[in-house]
Amino acid sequence: MITTRIATLADLDVVAELFDAYRRFYLQPSDLGLAKSFLTARLRNKESVVILAINAAHEVVGFCQLYPTFCSVEAKPIYTLYDLFVAPAERRSGAGSILLRAAEKLAAANGMARMDLTTARSNKPAQATYEALGWVRDEVFFAYSKRVEAQPLVQSDALRQATSAPSAASGTFSSTEPRRPAEARVSTRTSSAHVKLQYFLRAPKFPVIVDFRSHLIGIESRDKCSKVLLGASHPDTAEQFDVIDSNAENFSFHPRMSAISVLAIKKRWTKSALVALYNSRRTPDTPAYEPRSLGNKRFDQVLLDVVRLLDER
């Protein structure tokens, strides 16, 4: 059973470890000291609210972080749900959905007009969870981000008062929107020949198939992966592409980051789904994979069959 509560400064050590894991998921280097100091400042200054997910063994297994801000159009306070993370071992416990419901309850109690969040376009399982809980995808507005060169912060009392407003529910609200996750703030690589593909948390089991939407690419070994993927994609694209490994698990390839990462919420492939994907992407001169030939083959055998068919092109 998962329960939730609001984090306090006394929870910093355990929350910092989860926050560090969350940042590593977005391909940032591990820095537990930075994680702890960042969270300390947010909680001490009442600049964010962190909700914890706790399992039956009284272990903190996940968190979400809400930043209070304002909607100028509605002239009302809102929450930006910026961080949501559940430890891998607890991702089938429903902790993510429970954290989202707790955030909604807190937002209502604190008089918020709504909550906003962003998620990767490729993260279909997360999108399904949000929509099942009543979140509505924005079909009207685009989100933009621009990096700036930070200057030393010198803030007068008058400026500090002008850029913050009191709230009885949660201290102060920042009047500026928080920046987007680190995945949108990566420098462009100049040459794939000088870049090595990174694997975040762990590598997929080879061979793998990469879905570039217009076509599929099969890669038999890890040794070939960097050359094939970095040569087949444009380094400036912010898109993410599905990687299907021999364990039937879904990963994401990030060309701009030169990296493959595991999904926050696991997606498992079936033999029939893989064959259907291949048949929908194959070129007219490539043989089809007959579903009836699946027989008693294991998933990894079917994936290898598809990789070899792709190599015949």
Side-chain angles (χ1 to χ4, degrees), residues 18-296:
L18 288 172
F19 188 62
D20 188 56
Y22 165 79
R23 295 184 70 249
R24 293 200 308 271
F25 181 81
Y26 285 105
L27 307 179
Q28 299 303 294
S30 177
D31 191 332
L32 193 58
L34 173 64
K36 187 172 182 179
S37 64
F38 180 87
L39 288 172
T40 299
R42 302 291 77 72
L43 297 184
R44 182 168 289 157
N45 297 329
K46 302 186 185 304
E47 294 170 337
S48 75
V49 181
V50 176
I51 303 174
L52 305 179
I54 302 164
N55 66 12
H58 306 291
E59 299 167 324
V60 178
V61 297
F63 77 95
C64 70
Q65 182 161 210
L66 301 159
Y67 289 97
T69 183
F70 290 100
C71 173
S72 297
V73 176
E74 295 187 51
K76 293 179 181 179
I78 63 173
Y79 272 145
T80 295
L81 199 159
Y82 204 88
D83 312 325
L84 177 63
F85 183 80
V86 176
E90 296 285 339
R91 287 181 184 161
R92 294 184 181 277
S93 65
S97 294
I98 292 170
L99 282 168
L100 288 168
R101 291 190 183 97
E104 182 177 355
K105 185 179 293 186
L106 181 69
N110 284 348
M112 301 294 166
R114 69 170 193 271
M115 294 185 293
D116 292 340
L117 64 77
T118 59
T119 190
R121 293 185 182 183
S122 63
N123 199 344
K124 302 298 184 183
Q127 293 168 29
T129 298
Y130 300 141
E131 291 171 11
L133 294 176
W135 292 75
V136 179
R137 187 170 65 183
D138 192 339
E139 302 287 359
V140 178
F141 295 98
F142 288 113
Y144 287 85
S145 178
K146 180 177 174 60
R147 290 289 283 164
V148 297
E149 294 298 324
Q151 301 296 320
L153 183 61
V154 179
Q155 194 175 49
S156 66
D157 289 341
L159 179 59
R160 188 176 297 109
Q161 292 172 4
T163 56
S164 63
S167 166
S170 57
T172 60
F173 291 125
S174 167
S175 65
T176 57
E177 292 280 347
R179 291 182 295 182
R180 295 176 63 80
E183 62 188 63
R185 305 196 303 271
V186 180
S187 60
T188 302
R189 64 176 187 265
T190 56
S191 171
S192 62
H194 298 92
V195 178
K196 185 176 180 181
L197 190 69
Q198 302 178 71
Y199 298 96
F200 184 69
L201 295 183
R202 58 187 170 84
K205 182 181 178 183
F206 288 87
V208 300
I209 292 171
V210 184
D211 182 7
F212 280 100
R213 300 190 181 92
S214 61
H215 65 286
L216 303 177
I217 291 180
I219 306 174
E220 291 195 16
S221 68
R222 180 167 177 168
D223 292 340
K224 298 179 181 179
C225 199
S226 287
K227 182 178 180 180
V228 172
L229 282 188
L230 299 183
S233 61
H234 195 287
D236 288 336
T237 181
E239 288 189 275
Q240 300 173 36
F241 302 99
D242 285 343
V243 179
I244 308 164
D245 83 342
S246 294
N247 284 330
E249 189 172 349
N250 207 103
F251 291 70
S252 282
F253 169 49
H254 311 257
R256 184 178 288 182
M257 301 180 196
S258 304
I260 289 177
S261 69
V262 298
L263 292 181
I265 300 177
K266 285 188 176 182
K267 174 183 177 180
R268 305 291 297 186
W269 282 79
T270 63
K271 293 185 291 184
S272 58
L274 176 62
V275 168
L277 177 68
Y278 165 74
N279 285 334
S280 69
R281 296 283 198 275
R282 70 181 181 87
T283 57
D285 59 338
T286 305
Y289 195 120
E290 294 297 332
R292 63 175 177 270
S293 65
L294 290 175
N296 295 320

